[in-house]
Amino acid sequence: MYDYDLLVVGSANADLVIGVERRPAAGETVLGGDLATHPGGKGANQAVAAARLGARTALLARVGDDAHGRLLIDSQRAAGVDTVGVLVGGAPTGVALITVDPSGDNSIVVSPGANGRLAPADVRAAVSLFHTSRVVSAQLEIPLETVVEVVRNLAPGSRFVLNPSPPRPLPGEVLAACDPLIVNEHEAKVLLGEVCVSEEPADWARLLLAKGPKSVVVTLGAEGALVADAHGVGSVPSVTVDAVDTTGAGDAFTAALAVRLGAGASLTEAAGFAARVGAAAVTKRGAQDSYPTAAEVEALCCAHPGDTPRTPGTRSDSVPGTSERGETL
Ligand code: ADP
């Protein structure tokens, strides 16, 4: 019997956002609007997204003993996340300093802070969380050696989901544990490096699969997603929505996918649900503030009964030897 549907191991950041007329050049000072402080970080985002959907969720993360750390813990608790695994101290809470100009272009400086101090020993000390969680998800805003320790501590029968963001080369041990590895276009290209000469997402999916993960999901923004495993490559249509802000959509997608896989769905079914959650998330501003409840995901589907689901064009269909497994939403 599992206590948690999902254990997220990852980052928690305070996003400090200032609107500016023009982003400053070297040596320049510009005046901006009022500071807005939002809870963020990929780990914290995923945990909130999962809990909002009704999943029993725990977060293993590290924050500083400061006001930003308290803000992050409060936002996790407000969403229903169990924060028993959130460690405090060692460095200031991670922050992202974000300036946004009127066109929406931004410049971001990230100080990993306490996220960089989430150590392999912290994973070992939290082994009871691993033994009571059906699915474990991670990202790469924490040290890579900590992610390696996560895969070494997975309980038999639990499933590991990785969004390698920000992307960097992964050891075979981590790749082999992924079921699935979830990447967007940028992450796919960085992980494939020079191996990738193709612009076809179905090729990225196949080449990534050859690196060892049990399955791969490639997210394609408004174009939906591709899933790939030993049975072939299939497409998952996106849901047509009026996108307002795509911040954190990938985190919502990953959390929803992990939760659905844990509930026994197939990869294609889980990715279809995740695409609905990702679509719902882009209809509202912000990251965590935009994440839907299960009822809101339902309502989104019902609000578009006549929609023809968009598929990623001929991408997967045009590649010989692939099977089309996209589902109708
Ligand atoms: P990331 O945020 O990591 O770059 P994507 O932009 O690919 O990830 O978005 C993740 C998922 O969210 C997509 O696969 C899709 O299902 C959904 N999504 C993102 N943008 C849109 C959009 N404009 N319309 C509908 N769904 C979207």
Side-chain angles (χ1 to χ4, degrees):
M1 181 56 195
Y2 293 104
D3 292 337
Y4 302 105
D5 301 308
L6 180 64
L7 168 63
V8 181
V9 186
S11 58
N13 286 330
D15 290 343
L16 310 183
V17 187
I18 302 179
V20 289
E21 278 304 314
R22 203 166 38 78
R23 287 170 295 138
E28 192 182 9
T29 300
V30 298
L31 292 180
D34 289 344
L35 172 72
T37 305
H38 302 287
K42 289 187 156 291
N45 286 352
Q46 284 188 10
V48 165
R52 206 50 76 68
L53 291 169
R56 295 167 305 163
T57 308
L59 175 66
L60 175 56
R62 186 175 279 281
V63 297
D65 184 8
D66 50 31
H68 291 149
R70 287 186 283 283
L71 166 86
L72 283 155
I73 291 173
D74 287 349
S75 67
Q76 291 291 311
R77 288 188 180 145
V81 176
D82 190 334
T83 57
V84 67
V86 179
L87 306 164
V88 178
T93 299
V95 292
L97 299 177
I98 305 170
T99 52
V100 193
D101 70 20
S103 72
D105 284 337
N106 55 31
S107 296
I108 304 179
V109 178
V110 173
S111 167
N115 297 305
R117 312 303 205 280
L118 187 69
D122 296 328
V123 170
R124 288 192 291 277
V127 74
S128 62
L129 284 177
F130 286 83
H131 283 276
T132 51
S133 299
R134 193 182 291 276
V135 181
V136 176
S137 78
Q139 325 76 37
L140 299 183
E141 291 182 338
I142 55 174
L144 188 55
E145 63 262 30
T146 304
V147 177
V148 171
E149 195 64 25
V150 166
V151 305
R152 290 181 182 165
N153 281 271
L154 293 171
S158 73
R159 188 161 183 159
F160 180 62
V161 169
L162 178 68
N163 172 218
S165 176
R168 70 184 105 149
L170 293 169
E173 184 180 3
V174 171
L175 283 165
C178 296
D179 192 15
L181 176 76
I182 304 170
V183 292
N184 65 15
E185 173 177 349
H186 169 66
E187 292 146 10
K189 287 184 169 170
V190 172
L191 287 195
L192 288 170
E194 288 171 4
V195 178
C196 185
V197 287
S198 169
E199 282 300 315
E200 286 294 333
D203 289 340
W204 310 338
R206 258 192 303 277
L207 289 167
L208 286 169
L209 198 60
K211 283 178 163 280
K214 297 184 187 77
S215 56
V216 169
V217 175
V218 181
T219 64
L220 300 168
E223 301 291 302
L226 292 182
V227 295
D229 60 16
H231 302 294
V233 181
S235 63
V236 173
S238 74
V239 179
T240 306
V241 290
D242 291 325
V244 173
D245 180 1
T246 60
T247 311
D251 300 331
F253 181 100
T254 297
L257 183 87
V259 167
R260 267 300 155 102
L261 287 173
S266 71
L267 187 60
T268 306
E269 287 164 353
F273 176 71
R276 294 196 283 273
V277 172
V282 304
T283 63
K284 291 189 191 160
R285 292 214 168 274
Q288 294 181 14
D289 288 343
S290 73
Y291 293 159
T293 62
E296 286 166 342
V297 181
E298 269 309 299
L300 176 80
C301 305
C302 300
H304 296 79
D307 276 358
T308 310
R310 250 193 274 166
T311 63
T314 54
R315 277 175 174 136
S316 70
D317 330 19
S318 66
V319 182
T322 62
S323 67
E324 174 57 66
R325 303 187 306 158
E327 61 167 3
T328 303
L329 295 172

